[in-house]
């Protein structure tokens, strides 16, 4: 099982499910299978339904051809959050490479993160948390998925970076 799945499962079991998570990892290291498993867990649906593509209420946000996430994408998020879930108990918004938000988009997202509907869960993925506003990170529960990374890549610089992140507090 992945760190993401295990962390979310433990959060649910302990009654401490957050409305937003920040996955500290490179996007390419988080597989669709991990996303599907986490979705199944969060949406309280049957795993086989999710795998078949049924009852999935997720919105995927990625950077555009300019390698940024613009405000119009955050407007899509806002529209998605206005609708209550039909098939499960949650709607999931997955934001890949969250560090690529423009300043306007990040500020717009912050307004949604401050008071999200109870049925919405955000999952932001990035390996560059220092490029996100601290106000966004402070509203997220951080999942360190880097144990998987260091097994795959024995990159000293990356390991040092993750060690530095682990020592940081949210204000940093």
């Amino acid at each position: 099982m992945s760190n993401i799945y295990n962390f979310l499962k433990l959060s649910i079991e302990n009654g401490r499910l957050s409305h937003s998570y920040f996955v500290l990892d490179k996007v390419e290291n988080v597989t669709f299978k991990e996303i599907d498993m986490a979705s199944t867990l969060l949406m309280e649906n049957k795993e086989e339904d999710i795998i078949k593509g049924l009852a999935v209420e997720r919105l995927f946000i990625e950077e555009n051809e300019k390698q940024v996430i613009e405000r119009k994408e955050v407007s899509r998020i806002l529209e998605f959050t206005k609708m209550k879930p039909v098939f499960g108990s949650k709607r999931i918004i997955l934001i890949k490479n969250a560090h690529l938000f423009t300043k306007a988009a990040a500020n717009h997202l912050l307004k949604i993160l401050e008071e999200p509907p109870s049925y919405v869960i955000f999952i932001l993925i990035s390996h560059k948390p220092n490029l996100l506003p601290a106000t966004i990170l402070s509203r997220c529960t951080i999942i360190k998925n880097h144990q998987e990374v260091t097994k795959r890549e024995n990159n000293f610089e990356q390991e040092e970076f993750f060690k530095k992140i682990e020592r940081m507090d949210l204000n940093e």
Side-chain angles (χ1 to χ4, degrees), residues 9 12-13 17 24 27 31 44-45 51 58 65 90 95-96 102 109-110 148 151 153 158:
K9 184 175 182 185
I12 291 169
E13 288 170 0
L17 189 63
L24 181 59
V27 169
T31 67
E44 300 172 3
N45 287 345
I51 291 170
R58 298 182 294 199
E65 62 280 346
K90 303 286 182 203
I95 303 171
K96 298 178 175 183
T102 63
L109 177 68
L110 182 59
E148 301 269 333
K151 288 179 187 171
E153 301 173 13
Q158 187 175 31

Side-chain angles (χ1 to χ4, degrees), residues 47-63:
E47 184 173 351
E48 55 270 9
D49 287 346
I50 300 288
I51 291 170
K52 290 177 188 173
L54 304 173
V56 177
E57 297 187 60
R58 298 182 294 199
L59 177 64
F60 290 89
I61 301 293
E62 298 181 275
E63 71 272 13

Side-chain angles (χ1 to χ4, degrees), residues 7-23:
F7 189 94
L8 293 173
K9 184 175 182 185
L10 191 60
S11 296
I12 291 169
E13 288 170 0
N14 292 324
R16 298 179 59 93
L17 189 63
S18 177
H19 71 288
S20 56
Y21 291 92
F22 178 82
V23 177

Side-chain angles (χ1 to χ4, degrees), residues 86-146:
V86 176
F87 298 107
S89 61
K90 303 286 182 203
R91 299 194 101 197
I92 300 166
I93 300 165
L94 184 90
I95 303 171
K96 298 178 175 183
N97 289 317
H99 61 276
L100 295 176
F101 277 110
T102 63
K103 186 173 183 172
N107 288 334
H108 196 48
L109 177 68
L110 182 59
K111 292 177 183 174
I112 301 169
L113 281 175
E114 286 174 340
E115 294 185 36
S118 61
Y119 52 83
V120 172
I121 295 179
F122 289 88
I123 301 176
L124 290 75
I125 303 172
S126 175
H127 65 288
K128 297 182 179 181
N130 55 323
L131 296 181
L132 273 167
T135 49
I136 288 180
L137 282 177
S138 70
R139 284 162 177 77
C140 297
T141 301
I142 298 174
I143 302 174
K144 299 171 187 170
N145 201 42
H146 66 275

Side-chain angles (χ1 to χ4, degrees), residues 69-82:
I69 301 173
E70 295 178 334
R71 194 171 194 269
K72 67 181 178 181
E73 289 300 310
V74 181
S75 295
R76 283 183 54 216
I77 292 171
L78 184 59
E79 290 302 312
F80 186 77
T81 62
K82 288 180 181 177

